[in-house]
Amino acid sequence: MTATRHPSGTAQPADARLARELLDGLTEAVLTTDETGRVTMANATAAALLPEITVGSNLASCPVAALARAVAANAAAFDTEHHGRRLHGTRRQLTGSRFAWYVRDVTEEHAQADALRAERSRTAFLAHAGSRLGLSVHRDQVLLATITLAVPYLADVAVALHRPAVTAEPPTRWIRYADGEPAPVTGLAGATLTASVPGLAEALAGEPAEPGRWLDAEPADLAPLLPPDFGAPGTVLVSPLLSADGSAGALLLVRRAGRAGFDRREIELAREFAARAGAALGTADLHGEQAHLAQVLQASLLPPELPTVPGVTMAGGYRAAGDSLRIGGDFYEVFPHPHGALFALGDVCGKGVGAAVLTGRVRQSLRTLRLVERRPLELINLLNGALFDAPEATRRSQLTTLLLGSIDRGPAGLDVRLAGGGHPAPLLVTADGTVTPVPVGGMPVGALTVARFTETRVHLDPGDLLLAYTDGVTAARGPRGLATFGAARLHAAVASAAGRSSAALVDRVLRAVDDWLAGEAHDDIAMLALGAPA
């Protein structure tokens, strides 16, 4: 293709038709201007995107305001929205004082970028919500997290209605949080609430409802659910809070009249959020049931009030494990008889419901067997046999360390017979502060059908004390992984209470252990002190 020389000095294609076809084939709008700023050429894309700009018009006064401002300010680029499309234009200088403007339609690019940002925002919201809900183990915590997370990201007001523990009763409690309110508000729903809110009955039954306006609802019925100055509600989305056992309640997301309604992606996001909240409610309900069961079992395992035994001073001490769900197996019992008393202190192996069941079996067996046998060695053998008489399924992991003792009043003090089943040796502390372990030994009860148990005897003079304890005392570990409380510290605490009462001895040891723990979690602790009055 040959070229000719234009009067201005620039080389132009000899075939002007071909040049025009090349320009019209571009996806960008191309506008060229002369030295006076008038349009000398506009390709086909420019005619489609900018129909108001024609050849011969002055760009500085063209109807496209952003482009006109850019020309007047001698700017090199502009962005604007025109005829519903988002445009981005850049300027390139040609020879002389002539310019070419390249205008590109960036609507789809912006839409994709907006969609990506919105998706990232939704993903971040769900991740944050999942973390908050996952850390909430109580029902009230889950409900509070649900409504505060939803506002203002999903709605201006969030109301959670939750079913009571008895599913036969209607859902009557609700908790609300509104944008701008200092704190959540709770209340009781009226009898007409379910019928007043469209879609609520379906959500409580586990069926999602489509979002809509409260056109048919009576303002008087809805007023308790909304802040006093909220005004007429706009779009409302009702979603079920589904758990593994069915609907645990419903979540109402309310937007003000001036806010846009829920689009498809927002509905999906709200449904997913409600599903996660419902799952968290189910987990919280299960945790609550387990905690209640643990509390009931723990209460049944607490040591009983010690009886009064003439001529014997006694005191017991007990510290349950820090976690309410870790049901322990430490216990002590005292059974008076005409000449003194029979006592037991034990530690069942394991934690949880299994340990609680075994603790109950051991204590009940002792209560029954002591009616026919008071001698400690014979009694511990009978108890071992009774445990092995249980069905196979209940004989697994039934080890119990046990200390059985018989107290008989003598003319000068107390005679104590001790039978051991793998339990820590009790400590004898005399009035002058001497602390002596009383070795008993023996094998844990329930370990073998033919087990070896031992018996020993000790005499308590007036003023002497005998302390029996579980290994939770010596194994208590202080903060930051410090060493255990240990036998040496226990001996020192016991010696410091020499010459005092049984209650003073127990109190001294418990305070020493508490100081060492400094609030850290610990195993169950049980101890029983007895002595001959001075």
Side-chain angles (χ1 to χ4, degrees):
M1 180 177 66
T2 60
T4 59
R5 181 67 57 180
H6 193 270
S8 63
T10 60
Q12 300 290 330
D15 191 345
R17 181 178 179 181
L18 177 59
R20 183 69 190 194
E21 288 178 354
L22 291 174
L23 289 172
D24 288 343
L26 297 177
T27 58
E28 290 181 314
V30 180
L31 300 170
T32 60
T33 60
D34 60 14
E35 293 82 352
T36 64
R38 294 188 177 277
V39 178
T40 58
M41 189 275 299
N43 69 347
T45 305
L49 289 180
L50 308 167
E52 302 87 348
I53 302 177
T54 59
V55 175
S57 61
N58 194 326
L59 279 188
S61 59
C62 71
V64 183
L67 176 55
R69 288 192 299 268
V71 172
N74 198 29
F78 74 92
D79 289 280
T80 189
E81 185 171 336
H82 191 61
H83 294 311
R85 311 296 294 178
R86 303 185 69 166
L87 305 179
H88 174 71
T90 57
R91 187 188 70 175
R92 180 181 178 185
Q93 186 171 4
L94 303 178
T95 57
S97 298
R98 295 180 300 117
F99 294 95
W101 282 94
Y102 299 90
V103 183
R104 186 160 53 93
D105 185 349
V106 294
T107 305
E108 298 303 327
E109 295 178 15
H110 280 271
Q112 292 175 1
D114 292 342
L116 180 59
R117 283 192 294 269
E119 187 62 33
R120 287 176 175 173
S121 176
R122 287 189 287 264
T123 302
F125 169 76
L126 286 178
H128 177 59
S131 177
R132 279 276 307 276
L133 293 170
L135 294 175
S136 304
V137 296
H138 299 291
R139 188 180 185 89
D140 291 343
Q141 291 178 346
V142 174
L143 292 169
L144 181 62
T146 299
I147 58 173
T148 54
L149 284 168
V151 175
Y153 188 79
L154 294 176
D156 299 304
V157 176
V159 183
L161 290 93
H162 51 103
R163 296 182 179 276
V166 181
T167 56
E169 299 178 2
T172 55
R173 293 186 59 202
W174 55 262
I175 179 170
R176 179 195 76 216
Y177 183 65
D179 190 17
E181 282 191 322
V185 179
T186 60
L188 297 176
T192 61
L193 178 64
T194 303
S196 300
V197 181
L200 180 56
E202 293 83 353
L204 291 172
E207 302 174 5
E210 291 301 318
R213 297 183 180 275
W214 281 350
L215 299 177
D216 301 327
E218 292 293 335
D221 295 331
L222 302 176
L225 295 180
L226 300 175
D229 57 349
F230 188 79
T235 309
V236 177
L237 180 64
V238 185
S239 301
L241 297 173
L242 295 176
S243 66
D245 297 328
S247 178
L251 176 65
L252 280 71
L253 300 176
V254 186
R255 290 185 174 180
R256 296 182 183 274
R259 184 173 176 177
F262 295 91
D263 60 25
R264 180 185 60 83
R265 293 292 294 159
E266 289 175 326
I267 294 175
E268 293 176 355
L269 177 64
R271 301 286 193 227
E272 175 65 22
F273 172 68
R276 297 191 181 195
L281 272 178
T283 302
D285 287 342
L286 179 60
H287 181 275
E289 293 175 2
Q290 292 177 338
H292 177 69
L293 174 62
Q295 291 172 358
V296 172
L297 289 175
Q298 190 72 59
S300 69
L301 297 176
L302 290 177
E305 183 178 353
L306 291 176
T308 299
V309 179
V312 181
T313 64
M314 288 187 298
Y318 184 77
R319 288 283 191 275
D323 187 346
S324 61
L325 294 181
R326 295 178 66 239
I327 307 170
D330 291 14
F331 67 93
Y332 59 77
E333 296 274 6
V334 175
F335 308 106
H337 58 70
H339 304 290
L342 182 71
F343 69 89
L345 186 137
D347 182 0
V348 169
C349 177
K351 296 293 178 186
V353 176
V357 171
L358 180 55
T359 302
R361 288 181 55 217
V362 171
R363 294 174 68 177
Q364 187 59 44
S365 297
L366 282 173
R367 292 189 185 104
T368 303
L369 294 174
R370 57 101 182 179
L371 298 176
V372 297
E373 181 58 68
R374 294 178 184 171
R375 295 171 295 176
L377 184 60
E378 286 74 7
L379 180 55
I380 200 170
N381 276 289
L382 289 176
L383 176 63
N384 189 71
L387 293 179
F388 277 95
D389 284 340
E392 176 66 26
T394 61
R395 285 195 277 113
R396 300 172 183 172
S397 302
Q398 63 174 11
L399 299 182
T400 302
T401 64
L402 186 66
L403 184 71
L404 277 175
S406 174
I407 309 171
D408 291 293
R409 293 186 299 272
L414 302 175
D415 293 318
V416 181
R417 298 172 60 183
L418 296 171
H423 202 77
L427 299 178
L428 173 63
V429 52
T430 60
D432 61 3
T434 302
V435 179
T436 306
V438 182
V440 181
M443 300 177 63
V445 179
L448 297 172
T449 54
V450 180
R452 181 182 62 83
F453 304 108
T454 59
E455 185 180 87
T456 188
R457 297 174 182 243
V458 62
H459 179 77
L460 302 184
D461 291 325
D464 291 349
L465 296 171
L466 183 69
L467 177 69
Y469 60 93
T470 60
D471 60 4
V473 175
T474 53
R477 190 175 297 275
R480 297 181 300 277
L482 295 178
T484 59
F485 187 70
R489 293 182 180 86
L490 175 60
H491 287 197
V494 170
S496 67
R500 305 181 66 182
S501 66
S502 299
L505 171 60
V506 169
D507 181 68
R508 179 69 187 88
V509 174
L510 284 178
R511 283 192 290 110
V513 173
D514 289 342
D515 292 342
W516 180 256
L517 287 169
E520 293 295 311
H522 58 86
D523 198 357
D524 287 332
I525 293 172
M527 60 185 71
L528 180 66
L530 53 94

